[in-house]
Amino acid sequence: MTWGRAAIPALVGGLLLTALLWWAGASADALHLTGSTDLLGGEAVSDLQQWLGPWAYDPPQFAPDGDSAHYLDLFHTGRQIRFGALFVSFTVGALFLMRWLPPVAGRVTAALLASWAWALVSAMLAVTVSAPWQIAAYGHGSYRFLPDLAGVMAGGRQLVVVVGLVAAAATVLVGRATAKGAGPLPRREVPARPARLAATAGTAVIALSLVVLSYQRVAAAIQTAPYGGGFFSEPGDLLRELLLLGFWSGPSGTPVVDWLLARLSDVLVLVVVWWALRLLPGLLTRATVPAMAVGAVCATVLGLVAGQLLRVVTVGGGMKWGVRYIVGNLGAGLAAALLWGLVAGALAAVTLRLTAGPVPAEDQ
């Protein structure tokens, strides 16, 4: 698919995702109306306020003393940057996905899942880019900046789990329409052994974070190690967001069977990532390093979501916690998925190139 054809579904998806999140955020004020608690219930209203808050254009209240108008302007500037960054990040990512993974026969499901995963990543990037303005607007710009940044980075994903699926579906539908008449789209045949080696190399990178760094003692050491002082002191929470894809400990104090069931979610993450990286070189029109890196990010996000859904089923009482609990915990670890996914995809692409021989001209 040419860049011009790929740009159309990318723009449609970016506009739809931004509009839906803006509309949802603008609806947050309705939760403060009289009777909303009686209608929805106190817990539901509290959860909705938490999910809609990162996308609400007006803050519920302002703590800073002094020039409140100045802080409010700063908050609105941060929101404008947030929605602008959301549109740009999703559109650019979807442009490359439609170019490298066009939604044609045999690739529709992969394109849909990748676009949905990228919507989650785009939301995380948007809240991260705009976080300094939000932190400063509440009067905490020079106090515990890195922990506050980590807290903002971890929010805003719950709503995107649902809205992002709608935007991804629209992107793929428009992409299928624009792909008609585009001519044959290349599909490279990748030897099985190099593809498996590349998938294994990329999955090993994900396992480093999910298994080694996410072990309780290692994670605690990362968070509590002394890193100096000053404005950028206390980076422990931020490092956890960037480096850890999960969190686990030994079976002490819990039945071994329950512990093993809980670990199945981590196994599922690695299986999804390995299988996606195994299929990715054959699905991409150009198995380049950037294409594999973006694809690996999407595969890591999908693996995390699959593992989180499995954890709800396997952990005792998980199904009784309800839909609000399930949605509220989906998408955790997006910052680490972006970082490690890029590294895993680049390593998988290099491994594939070294083991599969010279790359055809069309894949350069």
Side-chain angles (χ1 to χ4, degrees):
M1 187 184 293
T2 63
W3 290 110
R5 290 176 180 269
I8 298 174
L11 287 171
V12 170
L15 288 172
L16 182 61
L17 178 64
T18 305
L20 288 176
L21 286 177
W22 180 88
W23 172 77
S27 304
D29 289 340
L31 298 175
H32 301 285
L33 297 176
T34 303
S36 60
T37 303
D38 296 333
L39 178 64
L40 300 175
E43 292 184 357
V45 170
S46 177
D47 289 335
L48 288 173
Q49 288 175 342
Q50 180 182 358
W51 299 351
L52 296 176
W55 306 104
Y57 199 76
D58 292 320
Q61 60 182 0
F62 255 92
D65 298 326
D67 189 3
S68 59
H70 173 73
Y71 286 110
L72 187 60
D73 290 341
L74 197 60
F75 182 89
H76 287 161
T77 300
R79 281 298 187 264
Q80 293 168 5
I81 294 173
R82 178 165 299 184
F83 284 107
L86 174 70
F87 172 76
V88 171
S89 59
F90 181 83
T91 302
V92 172
L95 173 64
F96 287 113
L97 287 174
M98 293 297 105
R99 168 73 171 173
W100 296 327
L101 190 62
V104 295
R107 292 175 169 138
V108 175
T109 302
L112 176 62
L113 293 176
S115 300
W116 178 56
W118 189 255
L120 297 176
V121 174
S122 300
M124 184 275 299
L125 290 174
V127 298
T128 303
V129 169
S130 60
W133 284 266
Q134 176 176 327
I135 295 172
Y138 281 100
H140 303 297
S142 59
Y143 175 70
R144 291 177 56 83
F145 174 75
L146 294 183
D148 289 340
L149 177 62
V152 175
M153 182 186 298
R157 68 180 188 276
Q158 295 88 350
L159 189 61
V160 189
V161 171
V162 178
V163 175
L165 186 59
V166 177
T171 302
V172 169
L173 288 175
V174 177
R176 281 186 61 83
T178 56
K180 293 181 179 179
L185 297 172
R187 185 161 185 167
R188 180 187 176 194
E189 294 297 331
V190 181
R193 184 174 180 276
R196 288 195 296 266
L197 289 174
T200 302
T203 306
V205 173
I206 303 302
L208 173 64
S209 171
L210 187 65
V211 178
V212 179
L213 298 184
S214 296
Y215 181 59
Q216 183 180 24
R217 293 182 179 179
V218 180
I222 292 174
Q223 184 166 6
T224 59
Y227 297 100
F231 181 70
F232 292 105
S233 61
E234 301 182 81
D237 292 334
L238 182 61
L239 288 175
R240 286 176 63 94
E241 288 292 327
L242 293 174
L243 298 178
L244 305 188
L245 285 167
F247 183 80
W248 68 281
S249 59
S252 60
T254 59
V256 176
V257 175
D258 293 342
W259 182 83
L260 291 175
L261 286 175
R263 300 284 66 77
L264 283 178
S265 60
D266 297 333
V267 175
L268 181 60
V269 173
L270 298 178
V271 170
V272 170
V273 171
W274 187 91
W275 187 250
L277 292 179
R278 167 66 179 83
L279 299 178
L280 196 58
L283 292 173
L284 294 170
T285 56
R286 299 188 178 190
T288 59
V289 172
M292 288 291 292
V294 173
V297 170
C298 297
T300 306
V301 173
L302 293 174
L304 286 177
V305 173
Q308 290 156 3
L309 289 174
L310 180 62
R311 189 177 298 116
V312 172
V313 178
T314 56
V315 173
M319 295 299 293
K320 299 180 181 179
W321 294 333
V323 176
R324 291 185 292 108
Y325 171 83
I326 297 173
V327 175
N329 286 273
L330 286 180
L334 290 174
L338 175 62
L339 174 63
W340 292 108
L342 290 174
V343 177
L347 180 60
V350 172
T351 303
L352 182 66
R353 183 165 298 186
L354 293 175
T355 57
V359 181
E362 64 269 16
D363 285 345
Q364 298 289 343

